[in-house]
Amino acid sequence: MTKPNFTKTVCALAVSTALTSPILLAQEQSTEKKGLERIEVTARKTVESIQEVPVAVTSIGEVELAEKGISTVTEIQQMSPNTTLQKSRGTNSTLTAFIRGVGQEDPLWGYEPGVGIYVDDVYMARPQGAVLDILNVERIEVLRGPQGTLYGKNTIGGAIKYVTKAMSGDTELAVKGTVGSYGQKDIKLSGQFPLMEDKLYLGFAYANLNRDGFGEFLTSALDGQDRENYNKDLQAYRLTLEFRPSDDVFMRLNYDNTEDKSNSKGGFRLLPSMLTDAPVPDSVYDSYTSLPTWNKVENEGLSLTVNWDINDNFLFKSITSSREGYSPTNIDFDNTSLRIFDVPAIYDDEQFTQEFQLNYQTDGVKLVSGLYYYKGDSCGQYDAILDELGISLGLPGYTSEVGGCSNSKSTAVYMQGSFDLTEKLSLTAGARYTKEEKDAEVFNAVYFGTMYPESGWVPGFVRDETLVAASQNVVLDDNADWSRFTPKLGMEYQYSPDMMLYASYAQGFKSGAFNPRATTAEPAADPEIVDSFEIGLKSDWNDTVRFNATLFMLDHKDRQYVTLIPDPDDLTINNQRLGNVGKSEATGAEVELTVLATDSFEWYATLGYIDSKFKQVKSVTPDGTPIDITDQFSITNTPKTTANLGFNYTINSSMGDFVVNGNYYYRSEYSLVEKGNLLTQDGYGLVNLGVNWYSDDGQWTVGLYGKNLTDEEYLVGNYPFVDVTTPPYSTENPGPGTGGDTTLIGYYGDPRTVSLTVGYKF
């Protein structure tokens, strides 16, 4: 865990200087300005200027993404204040997303996310495969705060919208190749061509992304395993068919497929093992394992979008989609060559959605309305292999197997309108009614020996299906339903053509859930509710300075948490209950600033501050006595301060145009473990630089990018299985936890990397 390159005071000084001097800086420039770019977004499900939308939203377009060398959606967190987007613990493709202190860290089936992910307005229900690589993208939008009225459930923190490019109608072909640190070798192809002139177009995009590991598995209990750790081996492609039968009708059929065959990520042992020779490695990217190192995340989707401009006032839109995901994964919790706490698992998901929208717009009125249907089946199975625990008890090893499904149906109707009350004052009002049904099945089994999810999981393993059938015990088979009315109310005041003030109240909810690790027939937890109050300013000054600011307060009720019920006579490791046992609050501020100092030089700054904390967390003692453990909990993945300071400088020359950019991104200290304050990442900063060259004919591009140039080491995930409550153990001196070992594991962000990209458009 590292210290930042410069202190919070220096960071605050830099940002405050940026915030107090933009107008002066702009006025000092004598050259004629080309003006700030108009940025269009669909945050309210209709195309609007970002400066006219009374929502805290950040938009990063195609050109900016390319010039900064941004390769995955996780890098977008640097551009959006109070936002955390990280690769999860065991794979490259599973997303951990938090906005304003709200999210979901555990990606197990049955749990619902707190930040919604959308690809071309299609909701991705599961975090597996949600670390999207930048491929054929037009822009990425980050909507902060509850979006329950227009986007529905599971957007209580906000939403991430990934918008792909519409076709131009011309024949195009582009290729990009990248080489870089750690043997990086990427190739991207994209193109389009008309099948019927001015009517029917076919587009495609393909990416093959490869990189060696940042580290290695130092030891493995299995022969012939690939020892690379934190490597990348991913293929993705997208096919698009667009049809324009008339000027009023547009249809788009999309298919996308991603297959990530990167190795399972091994964690860094922050404590030496007590049971075997597994000291703390020299590199944070090195690990040990007793599981196979292979891993796979598959995700594919098909969607059909139809837009019909009925007349000048009405627009009808239909979005139909189907998605599937399949992920067999190997997670070695203890990261040793012994089977102390190994968890091989399978995630299997399917979903179908249908949305109909009817939008109306005339002078003084904008109205968005819709009907929405969602059906999702989320299933999985894992084997918690604790052989060393079994052996210590005189048994031939020990495996606790848990599996099941959580299936849900959701229907909703929504409407939101913006109405001009006077020439300057407008009202926004909206509501959504959602009806949700969920059924779940959970089974448990105990095997005295080593069990894997499938035959052949490790060489020579055969799964004894007769034993499995005799051992599996369905502990939960239940259903539940909920309904929720989520309103939004706001006022906007257009002080001048270039300045808008707004205030709003919004509510969102996260779905109720059954415990996917249940050991008894426990009831479902009710939905989580977030109430958010926000006031904001959006302003442009002399078309050279853009200053947007937001103050917010949110109340997060009925938080779903697992309460552990210890039972010394029960060998199972999952004796737990899921309930609505938490409540938290947050207040904060966000600032986004862009200054066009000259036609050639632009600089920008963002600042996020949040004070988030638990107000109540309830639990019970082994005999069922209620207790309050609020003082043991902290909000994870939420630094108090996030800041970004960067620039973009264009140089015109006879050799073509050069664009130089750079930024410094800072995150203050944040917790990684909710209970017990077991692991905290110190504040740190990342330095990134890029140089781009564009040929005069627009065909060639070359980009050189350096990321994390100071080679900071910073935690993004963890597994904490240690005892800090039984004397003489403490947070400073932890003892053995689940599996009988001191399992405190960290996962880290990318080290320093340098890459060179060459692109050509035919």
Side-chain angles (χ1 to χ4, degrees):
M1 289 174 281
T2 57
K3 298 291 184 183
N5 273 355
F6 64 91
T7 65
K8 296 179 183 179
T9 302
V10 176
C11 176
L13 178 61
V15 174
S16 63
T17 301
L19 298 182
T20 55
S21 63
I23 300 174
L24 177 62
L25 233 172
Q27 290 174 343
E28 288 177 351
Q29 304 299 326
S30 59
T31 58
E32 183 180 352
K33 313 297 189 300
K34 62 183 179 183
L36 291 166
E37 176 190 6
R38 175 184 167 90
I39 300 174
E40 292 187 337
V41 296
T42 54
R44 297 197 293 181
K45 296 198 172 183
T46 186
V47 178
E48 300 173 284
S49 165
I50 196 171
Q51 294 303 94
E52 299 172 357
V53 179
V55 176
V57 55
T58 299
S59 180
I60 305 95
E62 174 191 12
V63 173
E64 185 178 0
L65 292 168
E67 289 183 346
K68 290 180 169 57
I70 294 175
S71 58
T72 67
V73 71
T74 56
E75 296 180 73
I76 300 301
Q77 74 169 15
Q78 297 188 25
M79 314 299 165
S80 179
N82 290 327
T83 300
T84 295
L85 300 172
Q86 302 284 13
K87 299 171 188 174
S88 191
R89 296 163 288 200
T91 79
N92 287 324
S93 299
T94 302
L95 183 67
T96 298
F98 277 71
I99 297 178
R100 294 181 176 176
V102 181
Q104 172 63 40
E105 188 170 2
D106 194 337
L108 197 67
W109 69 89
Y111 290 135
E112 304 283 357
V115 174
I117 308 297
Y118 293 82
V119 180
D120 290 329
D121 287 327
V122 173
Y123 174 59
M124 291 186 65
R126 303 298 305 145
Q128 286 81 17
V131 179
L132 300 166
D133 286 273
I134 306 303
L135 181 63
N136 205 37
V137 67
E138 179 180 292
R139 67 182 182 275
I140 296 176
E141 300 175 14
V142 182
L143 284 60
R144 297 185 295 276
Q147 308 295 321
T149 301
L150 291 180
Y151 293 90
K153 66 174 188 172
N154 302 341
T155 57
I156 54 176
I160 311 295
K161 296 187 63 176
Y162 184 96
V163 183
T164 60
K165 289 191 294 185
M167 292 188 216
S168 65
D170 299 325
T171 299
E172 297 180 3
L173 179 62
V175 59
K176 279 188 177 182
T178 301
V179 295
S181 307
Y182 300 96
Q184 180 184 1
K185 297 180 182 68
D186 298 343
I187 186 75
K188 293 184 179 182
L189 296 170
S190 62
Q192 57 179 287
F193 55 90
L195 301 177
M196 295 173 55
E197 189 173 356
D198 297 328
K199 295 288 186 183
L200 185 63
Y201 316 95
L202 178 65
F204 66 90
Y206 170 78
N208 189 311
L209 312 176
N210 290 273
R211 189 197 64 236
D212 298 336
F214 299 143
E216 63 177 331
F217 290 97
L218 302 175
T219 62
S220 172
L222 300 172
D223 296 329
Q225 295 294 302
D226 185 345
R227 294 291 187 90
E228 289 187 296
N229 194 20
Y230 287 83
N231 70 327
K232 189 167 189 175
D233 181 3
L234 183 145
Q235 290 191 83
Y237 62 91
R238 174 183 293 272
L239 295 173
T240 303
L241 193 66
E242 291 185 357
F243 183 44
R244 302 177 186 270
S246 69
D247 292 340
D248 300 327
V249 178
F250 169 77
M251 303 179 184
R252 174 191 274 186
L253 181 66
N254 263 337
Y255 173 76
D256 67 271
N257 183 291
T258 300
E259 183 179 40
D260 184 358
K261 296 191 293 184
S262 311
N263 286 350
S264 176
K265 285 199 298 187
F268 176 70
R269 285 198 64 90
L270 294 160
L271 297 171
S273 172
M274 299 175 63
L275 301 181
T276 188
D277 183 19
V280 175
D282 293 334
S283 168
V284 297
Y285 304 105
D286 287 345
S287 190
Y288 315 92
T289 188
S290 55
L291 278 171
T293 58
W294 60 261
N295 212 60
K296 184 163 65 174
V297 178
E298 294 179 331
N299 199 296
E300 64 176 346
L302 182 68
S303 67
L304 174 64
T305 301
V306 179
N307 287 340
W308 176 27
D309 291 317
I310 301 172
N311 54 41
D312 290 341
N313 303 117
F314 285 96
L315 168 67
F316 172 80
K317 187 174 185 178
S318 170
I319 307 168
T320 309
S321 79
S322 175
R323 297 201 67 85
E324 295 183 3
Y326 177 71
S327 302
T329 183
N330 287 286
I331 308 174
D332 191 330
F333 279 25
D334 62 281
N335 291 115
T336 72
S337 297
L338 295 180
R339 291 189 291 267
I340 296 171
F341 194 177
D342 293 357
V343 185
I346 296 175
Y347 299 82
D348 194 357
D349 306 288
E350 296 181 3
Q351 70 172 71
F352 172 83
T353 65
Q354 174 64 60
E355 183 169 7
F356 296 112
Q357 293 179 21
L358 182 63
N359 299 346
Y360 173 77
Q361 183 169 338
T362 188
D363 290 341
V365 177
K366 292 181 180 179
L367 190 66
V368 177
S369 62
L371 299 171
Y372 183 78
Y373 173 77
Y374 165 86
K375 182 181 185 300
D377 298 333
S378 182
C379 301
Q381 174 185 326
Y382 69 83
D383 289 283
I385 304 171
L386 297 95
D387 278 3
E388 294 303 311
L389 173 63
I391 292 170
S392 69
L393 298 172
L395 302 171
Y398 174 80
T399 300
S400 172
E401 185 171 85
V402 177
C405 292
S406 180
N407 307 321
S408 62
K409 292 181 181 179
S410 180
T411 56
V413 56
Y414 64 87
M415 181 178 291
Q416 180 172 301
S418 180
F419 312 93
D420 290 347
L421 303 179
T422 68
E423 191 173 298
K424 292 189 174 184
L425 187 65
S426 61
L427 168 72
T428 294
R432 187 184 191 105
Y433 177 79
T434 304
K435 174 72 174 178
E436 187 167 24
E437 304 171 32
K438 183 171 287 190
D439 63 80
E441 181 182 78
V442 180
F443 67 80
N444 284 182
V446 171
Y447 306 103
F448 295 112
T450 301
M451 182 66 73
Y452 295 95
E454 293 178 339
S455 293
W457 196 277
V458 297
F461 173 74
V462 177
R463 187 172 167 90
D464 187 340
E465 297 298 340
T466 301
L467 174 62
V468 169
S471 303
Q472 285 186 352
N473 177 32
V474 176
V475 297
L476 188 151
D477 187 358
D478 201 355
N479 60 79
D481 60 82
W482 304 273
S483 60
R484 190 73 198 177
F485 177 82
T486 48
K488 181 180 177 69
L489 185 64
M491 297 289 290
E492 301 86 45
Y493 181 66
Q494 197 71 41
Y495 178 79
S496 70
D498 295 323
M499 180 181 292
M500 178 184 70
L501 303 166
Y502 69 92
S504 66
Y505 161 77
Q507 186 181 88
F509 81 99
K510 179 174 144 180
S511 292
F514 286 96
N515 184 1
R517 300 187 182 92
T519 54
T520 61
E522 60 182 277
D526 288 329
E528 298 184 4
I529 307 298
V530 169
D531 292 297
S532 175
F533 301 88
E534 188 171 307
I535 59 173
L537 163 72
K538 295 200 171 184
S539 62
D540 288 346
W541 300 80
N542 300 323
D543 209 22
T544 57
V545 176
R546 178 164 292 158
F547 180 82
N548 297 340
T550 308
L551 298 175
F552 65 88
M553 177 177 65
L554 62 86
D555 182 21
H556 192 172
K557 299 185 289 291
D558 296 324
R559 295 188 68 148
Q560 302 163 2
Y561 281 106
V562 168
T563 299
L564 297 177
I565 313 295
D567 184 351
D569 298 324
D570 190 348
L571 290 176
T572 65
I573 65 167
N574 295 320
N575 193 12
Q576 55 174 252
R577 304 288 185 272
L578 176 66
N580 303 99
V581 297
K583 177 181 178 181
S584 64
E585 295 178 353
T587 56
E590 295 158 354
V591 171
E592 295 177 283
L593 170 70
T594 302
V595 177
L596 187 63
T598 70
D599 277 354
S600 301
F601 182 64
E602 176 182 283
W603 62 274
Y604 58 87
T606 65
L607 175 66
Y609 173 81
I610 185 169
D611 181 14
S612 57
K613 55 191 173 184
F614 280 96
K615 302 298 290 183
Q616 184 183 67
V617 182
K618 297 177 288 185
S619 185
V620 295
T621 62
D623 63 3
T625 303
I627 55 174
D628 188 305
I629 55 172
T630 305
D631 60 349
Q632 300 179 29
F633 273 68
S634 57
I635 306 292
T636 62
N637 296 287
T638 305
K640 277 196 171 184
T641 304
T642 53
N644 191 32
L645 185 62
F647 71 93
N648 203 71
Y649 184 58
T650 302
I651 304 170
N652 304 119
S653 75
S654 59
M655 299 172 56
D657 293 341
F658 292 85
V659 177
V660 183
N661 63 71
N663 73 294
Y664 182 89
Y665 173 63
Y666 175 75
R667 288 170 70 86
S668 65
E669 177 183 284
Y670 56 91
S671 298
L672 287 108
V673 183
E674 281 176 329
K675 186 179 179 182
N677 196 29
L678 286 175
L679 202 56
T680 299
Q681 169 62 52
D682 292 339
Y684 68 90
L686 302 179
V687 176
N688 308 300
L689 288 173
V691 180
N692 299 269
W693 172 77
Y694 300 89
S695 65
D696 287 334
D697 59 12
Q699 290 185 292
W700 287 96
T701 60
V702 178
L704 179 63
Y705 312 107
K707 300 178 183 179
N708 189 10
L709 290 175
T710 56
D711 206 19
E712 295 292 322
E713 294 178 352
Y714 56 96
L715 286 158
V716 297
N718 70 100
Y719 283 117
F721 295 97
V722 291
D723 182 2
V724 297
T725 59
T726 305
Y729 303 127
S730 64
T731 302
E732 292 74 26
N733 178 40
T738 303
D741 200 4
T742 46
T743 298
L744 186 59
I745 307 300
Y747 292 84
Y748 285 77
D750 292 359
R752 175 173 52 232
T753 58
V754 177
S755 63
L756 176 68
T757 297
V758 178
Y760 183 76
K761 292 182 179 180
F762 294 88

